[in-house]
């Protein structure tokens, strides 16, 4: 083991040793994909949706007839781009060699002339472009392509669409969703898994009776990884680089980051970096956390500039342990205005990606920002309201 290589992973998709179990959702997803059940996955940012799907794809690597195609809709703004990205990912997933993919493009893409470009490694990188003629004529045919291609090859395809809520930004979102749904619901060889972090937008797409995707499939709300799973994971990660850490220090580390996937890995990394000698102590974790707060100071100051006074008052009330915000006393004590105003405040904090309202719970999207507000911005003034 390279002593200078961190045992923690931040910002990249994790799998294998870097992946905390998530045994139950993995089992559920494998069963859904094997049974051809369309699935929607929703969780706040950075809790681990994309990593989970990648891990399930690895889990199913032995299912010889099942292939996974990955599409990120983050940058997709037009119907054409949507079709290009899904077609490209499908061709790639269902054809192993470049020759095979070229042949599939020729045989299965009809009505448009595709341009193919290759990356540095032509075996793994290639992209497609085509010009859609006016008026959706070719759209149904291109939407059916994954099914036609998978059927022809005797394979099953799991088509994974990340940041799916972006479909709402297309020029005619409802019309396009109708076409998608019409095509997808007849597909037998293709199973769709759709995920995204904008809870409201995702719920609007899948839970509104008036929308084409109403009751499209199984909806899974991904939970946070549990403390009892984080603790042995952190301990094992340190052990993998021949360092020790006590169980209660692991607990402290996960607790400070509210068990948030990305941030536990981030603090784990920072603590490992600062571990002198053989043992990571509680003081090491606290020093690492302080350094992270220092590093994020400028960024968080800018974030605060973008939050209005009533919104800050709401966050401050939360940090004072308030749970019911619309009582007369709370409205007055924290200067929140009327109860209608509280609704506006929570919507704004949600769209600014500060908070996420997960059922009855309120989650901080960035747990480090919460600590920064508590300890750096307000400090001893926090409770003097
Ligand atoms: N099962 C896991 N075990 C350990 N760490 C994890 C796990 N899942 C996610 N992480 C950590 O969280 C980070 C974010 O994960 P990932 O990108 O999969 O989340 P996401 O929900 O898809 O995020 P986004 O909302 O930004 O798309 C990873 O880089 C990794 O550090
Ligand atoms: Mg993701």
């Amino acid at each position: 083991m390279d002593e200078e290589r961190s045992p923690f992973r931040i910002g990249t998709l994790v799998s294998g040793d870097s992946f905390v179990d998530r045994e139950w959702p993995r089992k559920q997803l494998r069963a859904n994909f094997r049974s051809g059940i369309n699935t929607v996955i929703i969780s706040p940012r950075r809790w681990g949706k994309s990593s989970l799907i990648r891990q399930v794809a690895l889990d199913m690597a032995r299912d010889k007839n099942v292939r996974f195609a990955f599409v990120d809709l983050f940058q997709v703004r037009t119907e054409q781009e949507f079709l290009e990205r899904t077609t490209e990912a499908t061709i790639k997933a269902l054809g192993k060699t470049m020759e095979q993919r070229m042949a599939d493009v020729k045989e299965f893409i009809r009505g448009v002339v595709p341009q193919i470009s290759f990356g540095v490694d032509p075996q793994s990188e290639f992209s497609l472009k085509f010009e859609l003629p006016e008026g959706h004529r070719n759209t149904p045919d291109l939407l059916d392509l994954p099914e036609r291609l998978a059927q022809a090859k005797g394979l099953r395809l799991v088509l994974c669409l990340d940041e799916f809520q972006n479909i709402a930004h297309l020029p005619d979102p409802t019309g396009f969703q109708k076409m998608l749904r019409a095509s997808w619901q007849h597909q037998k060889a293709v199973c769709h898994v759709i995920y995204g972090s904008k809870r409201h937008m995702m719920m609007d797409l899948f839970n509104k009776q008036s929308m084409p995707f109403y009751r499209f499939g199984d909806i899974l709300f991904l939970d946070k990884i549990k403390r009892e799973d984080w603790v042995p994971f952190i301990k094992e990660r340190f052990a993998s680089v021949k360092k020790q850490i006590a169980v209660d220090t692991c607990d402290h580390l996960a607790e400070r980051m509210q068990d948030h996937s990305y941030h536990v890995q981030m603090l784990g990394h920072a603590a490992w970096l600062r571990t002198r000698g053989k043992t990571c102590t509680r003081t090491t974790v606290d020093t690492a956390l302080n350094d992270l707060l220092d590093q994020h100071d400028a960024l968080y100051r800018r974030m605060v500039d973008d939050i209005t006074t009533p919104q800050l008052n709401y966050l401050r009330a939360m940090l004072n342990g308030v749970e019911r915000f619309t009582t007369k006393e709370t409205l007055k004590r924290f200067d929140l205005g009327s109860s209608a105003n509280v609704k506006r405040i929570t919507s704004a904090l949600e769209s600014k990606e500060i908070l996420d309202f997960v059922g009855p719970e309120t989650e901080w999207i960035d747990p480090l920002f919460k600590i920064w507000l508590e300890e750096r911005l307000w400090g001893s003034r926090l409770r003097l309201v």
Side-chain angles (χ1 to χ4, degrees):
M1 171 62 75
D2 180 353
E3 292 212 343
E4 291 209 332
R5 189 174 145 81
S6 172
F8 293 94
R9 297 280 165 272
I10 37 180
T12 55
L13 298 184
V14 292
S15 54
D17 282 354
S18 302
F19 189 88
V20 182
D21 237 9
R22 290 209 184 273
E23 215 169 292
W24 172 248
R26 270 159 81 177
K27 190 170 171 194
Q28 191 178 351
L29 290 176
R30 286 195 300 265
N32 282 7
F33 300 165
R34 287 185 179 128
S35 323
I37 298 173
N38 294 320
T39 306
V40 180
I41 305 176
I42 303 176
S43 86
R45 299 241 28 214
R46 308 240 164 227
W47 281 22
K49 296 171 291 301
S50 304
S51 298
L52 173 64
I53 311 276
R54 293 281 172 169
Q55 180 62 48
V56 173
L58 286 178
D59 291 348
M60 292 177 63
R62 282 160 187 260
D63 293 37
K64 284 282 171 273
N65 291 329
V66 182
R67 302 280 166 78
F68 283 76
F70 296 97
V71 183
D72 188 348
L73 299 180
F74 184 60
Q75 306 262 23
V76 166
R77 285 290 177 274
T78 63
E79 191 177 310
Q80 173 167 328
E81 284 168 353
F82 182 96
L83 293 166
E84 283 170 349
R85 295 293 81 75
T86 47
T87 307
E88 174 184 294
T90 302
I91 300 265
K92 220 168 129 174
L94 295 176
K96 281 224 165 90
T97 63
M98 201 36 71
E99 292 70 33
Q100 207 170 20
R101 291 173 188 164
M102 297 284 281
D104 292 341
V105 167
K106 241 182 164 168
E107 189 180 342
F108 288 89
I109 300 185
R110 301 190 290 230
V112 289
V113 184
Q115 286 172 11
I116 306 175
S117 29
F118 299 103
V120 189
D121 172 9
Q123 282 315 320
S124 65
E125 296 169 48
F126 98 123
S127 60
L128 273 183
K129 268 199 90 49
F130 41 70
E131 224 34 79
L132 279 185
E134 281 295 302
H136 310 296
R137 239 181 329 112
N138 303 75
T139 304
D141 206 48
L142 286 163
L143 288 175
D144 286 341
L145 179 132
E147 173 76 7
R148 286 189 280 119
L149 193 56
Q151 292 269 9
K153 290 173 180 269
L155 294 171
R156 303 242 308 279
L157 181 72
V158 182
L159 185 56
C160 307
L161 297 139
D162 203 346
E163 306 292 355
F164 190 77
Q165 70 271 349
N166 275 357
I167 203 124
H169 300 313
L170 299 190
D172 171 19
T174 316
F176 189 58
Q177 282 170 56
K178 280 188 185 147
M179 278 196 275
L180 277 183
R181 172 100 199 213
S183 163
W184 287 0
Q185 70 186 357
H186 295 298
Q187 302 193 354
K188 297 206 167 52
V190 186
C191 169
H192 302 87
V193 48
I194 287 169
Y195 39 120
S197 51
K198 297 272 167 67
R199 175 174 301 264
H200 263 136
M201 290 175 80
M202 291 288 281
M203 295 293 276
D204 284 352
L205 292 176
F206 297 100
N207 254 0
K208 274 197 179 159
Q209 282 198 31
S210 57
M211 295 299 275
F213 274 100
Y214 178 63
R215 300 255 160 101
F216 173 65
D218 193 16
I219 299 191
L220 189 124
F221 293 96
L222 190 65
D223 286 333
K224 274 184 181 169
I225 292 169
K226 304 226 169 347
R227 183 75 50 81
E228 67 220 48
D229 294 324
W230 275 127
V231 169
F233 172 80
I234 297 167
K235 203 164 169 50
E236 186 282 324
R237 291 285 78 207
F238 274 93
S240 76
V241 288
K242 302 201 165 46
K243 307 260 178 205
Q244 292 161 5
I245 180 167
V247 163
D248 61 344
T249 310
C250 298
D251 191 285
H252 176 61
L253 193 157
E255 191 265 328
R256 287 301 267 155
M257 287 295 141
Q258 295 170 39
D259 302 305
H260 185 293
S261 299
Y262 175 87
H263 288 84
V264 171
Q265 293 255 15
M266 178 165 90
L267 183 55
H269 169 72
W272 163 80
L273 205 57
R274 288 162 182 77
T275 302
R276 306 264 164 266
K278 284 264 158 269
T279 308
C280 175
T281 63
R282 194 180 172 98
T283 314
T284 323
V285 173
D286 291 339
T287 309
L289 181 60
N290 256 318
D291 291 351
L292 287 176
L293 289 168
D294 288 344
Q295 283 165 23
H296 285 75
D297 200 67
L299 174 76
Y300 290 159
R301 281 187 191 285
R302 271 202 306 275
M303 269 167 71
V304 165
D305 284 344
D306 197 36
I307 303 176
T308 64
T309 306
Q311 290 161 12
L312 274 175
N313 290 347
Y314 184 95
L315 296 176
R316 191 170 187 170
M318 264 182 72
L319 294 176
N320 274 271
V322 169
E323 282 175 4
R324 296 181 55 225
F325 291 85
T326 49
T327 62
K328 247 194 192 147
E329 192 230 328
T330 305
L331 292 174
K332 186 156 177 284
R333 183 169 160 227
F334 290 96
D335 207 3
L336 296 172
S338 64
S339 40
N341 206 34
V342 169
K343 185 89 203 73
R344 277 194 290 277
I345 291 174
T346 50
S347 306
L349 289 170
E350 192 171 44
S351 66
K352 287 179 184 174
E353 301 205 313
I354 309 280
L355 299 178
D356 200 339
F357 299 91
V358 184
E361 306 291 328
T362 305
E363 298 286 351
W364 291 82
I365 291 184
D366 179 348
L368 190 65
F369 182 58
K370 171 193 178 251
I371 301 177
W372 182 85
L373 285 177
E374 243 173 344
E375 296 180 5
R376 298 281 172 101
L377 184 70
W378 287 316
S380 54
R381 292 178 299 123
L382 176 68
R383 296 185 211 286
L384 293 184
V385 179

